Amino acid sequence: MKVAVVGAGAIGAYVGAALDRAGAEVHLIARGPHLAAMREHGVRVHSPRGDWTARVHATDKPADIGPVDYVFLGLKANSYAACGPLVTPLLQDHTAVIAAQNGIPWWYFHRHGGAHDGRRIESVDPGGSVSAVLPPDRAIGCVVYAATELEGPGVVRHLEGTRFSIGEPDRSLSPRTKEFGEAMRAGGLKCPVEAELRDEIWIKLLGNISFNPISALTRATMREMCVHGGTRAVIEQMMNETLRVAEALGSHPDISVERRLAGAERVGDHRTSTLQDLEKGKPMELDVLLAAVVELAAMCGVEVPTLRTVDAISDLLARGAAA
């Protein structure tokens, strides 16, 4: 099995190192000091489950790799439309693309069934720009429950969690998901193949859609947002509105708002990835987390006043940060 990791940052390099440990042929695509360190020393993983080093091929030239069986995308979703030069040289007829993204994916309605089957979501696939680069037929969905960070160039700190749930847009338990899942498990990760992966997308999104924009607007940590009465109330409203949209689309995420809040409070003084991006001057990944759900709500006729308000304010913040 030949795998290329496009965007071999904290999550991508961690997955690449695990697949290498499973015996897959792994190629990492990165740049800068991180690439140089991986070329010289390999990927060094520090984890409570044990440290290890994976000596894998790393490059910034996908053409040197050639066609692969699987492309694992470790990029932020707002980079997908521009990732053609990185991904196209890796594709052959049967290549699958596993997109480890938060939020609503561009393939969401691909083979969804029902009234919205095949519909494009403008917020995440503007003008079809993402589908043109990453055809939905190639997509395998992936919901990430692992937390990692780059401790330094070529060094991945695994903090917690090893679960990467995957699934086909058409809900089938396909040979390609079975093969990829088995390789991930052989590398020491959890990788269940889920027929109803969309339910897991909404469970993960329940936290991202609320905590991420509110943290950027307030500069608050997870614990601070949970213990402050005002922000907690806003987050509860955002979560409840999100669940109504999910139900209107036929998904049934099996989690309560109170349980989600309690889990977030236990995380403690952690800064969300959106807040970290804002502090580093990077684009915030809010289109797939928030704007997409507002768009879906309008499509379904679901009222989401709190989501609309936070989306409008967050959009202004993002525009100011990009100026």
Side-chain angles (χ1 to χ4, degrees), residues 2-17 25-39 43 56-68 70-76 82-91 95 97 134 150 154:
K2 186 177 179 181
V3 182
V5 178
V6 176
I11 284 290
Y14 179 60
V15 167
E25 179 187 340
V26 178
H27 303 266
L28 306 180
I29 299 172
R31 60 186 180 182
H34 181 50
L35 171 60
M38 290 192 295
R39 279 174 163 168
V43 179
V56 297
H57 175 240
T59 182
D60 56 359
K61 297 180 175 62
D64 292 347
I65 300 170
V68 300
Y70 297 93
V71 173
F72 185 90
L73 280 184
L75 303 169
K76 290 289 184 74
C83 75
L86 296 175
V87 172
T88 301
L90 306 169
L91 302 179
T95 304
V97 176
L134 305 170
L150 281 181

Side-chain angles (χ1 to χ4, degrees), residues 233-257:
V234 171
I235 287 166
E236 286 179 352
Q237 292 168 352
M238 295 177 75
M239 288 185 175
N240 281 315
E241 290 175 7
T242 300
L243 287 174
R244 289 198 288 272
V245 177
E247 292 284 344
L249 290 170
S251 286
H252 307 286
D254 185 20
I255 192 167
S256 70
V257 168

